[in-house]
Amino acid sequence: MDYEEDGCAHDLLNDIGFLFAIRQILRLKEGALCYWGLPCNSFGFMARSQHQRSIGQPFGSPHYAFVVAGNILAARMSVLCMLCIARGVRFMIEQPDRSAASVFPYIMHILSYAEVQPQRVFWWGPQGLIC
């Protein structure tokens, strides 16, 4: 799904986009890969002073619309990840190291099951280790 491609059907913030995402996951074959990216402005460490997410406040500051949108997207992504698990589809959540996504309760819940076999992947780039 790409919001830039279709701002209506691919918008996970509205009901049509969420239903379209469910439909797309139901089309995947077992063993397929579903790749997710949460908005960096709502979870990334560079925006921590604004989103204010922490272990004690995992939903961040409700005073910013981008934080509320990030919460909705992360919650809906969590539901879609559970649908992936039920269908035998692998998924990957892209977030930089020190991202606040690791303290988001719904993501923590999914990754708490040993059967999910969560893994952290680090990438090597020209400058060395990229987290």
Side-chain angles (χ1 to χ4, degrees):
M1 296 188 54
D2 184 358
Y3 182 79
E4 296 289 324
E5 182 181 312
D6 186 338
C8 180
H10 295 188
D11 185 1
L12 281 174
L13 291 174
N14 69 40
D15 294 340
I16 293 171
F18 186 52
L19 291 172
F20 183 77
I22 291 170
R23 179 179 151 232
Q24 293 302 95
I25 289 177
L26 292 174
R27 294 179 62 214
L28 295 174
K29 294 180 180 178
E30 186 176 340
L33 175 65
C34 194
Y35 187 85
W36 298 100
L38 290 170
C40 288
N41 68 339
S42 193
F43 289 93
F45 65 92
M46 294 294 284
R48 183 162 283 157
S49 65
Q50 287 190 314
H51 65 63
Q52 299 174 4
R53 294 183 192 276
S54 65
I55 293 172
Q57 190 176 348
F59 293 102
S61 173
H63 304 295
Y64 293 105
F66 72 91
V67 175
V68 173
N71 288 340
I72 294 168
L73 290 171
R76 290 184 172 194
M77 181 206 68
S78 298
V79 170
L80 295 169
C81 286
M82 287 188 277
L83 183 57
C84 287
I85 292 168
R87 299 207 61 247
V89 172
R90 300 180 190 285
F91 65 91
M92 184 173 183
I93 303 171
E94 181 273 327
Q95 279 291 286
D97 194 33
R98 300 183 308 205
S99 165
S102 62
V103 300
F104 196 72
Y106 307 144
I107 295 172
M108 287 176 61
H109 179 74
I110 292 170
L111 299 179
S112 70
Y113 290 98
E115 296 83 8
V116 173
Q117 299 175 349
Q119 299 175 2
R120 285 188 75 173
V121 177
F122 297 92
W123 303 94
W124 283 92
Q127 287 82 28
L129 180 65
I130 300 173
C131 301

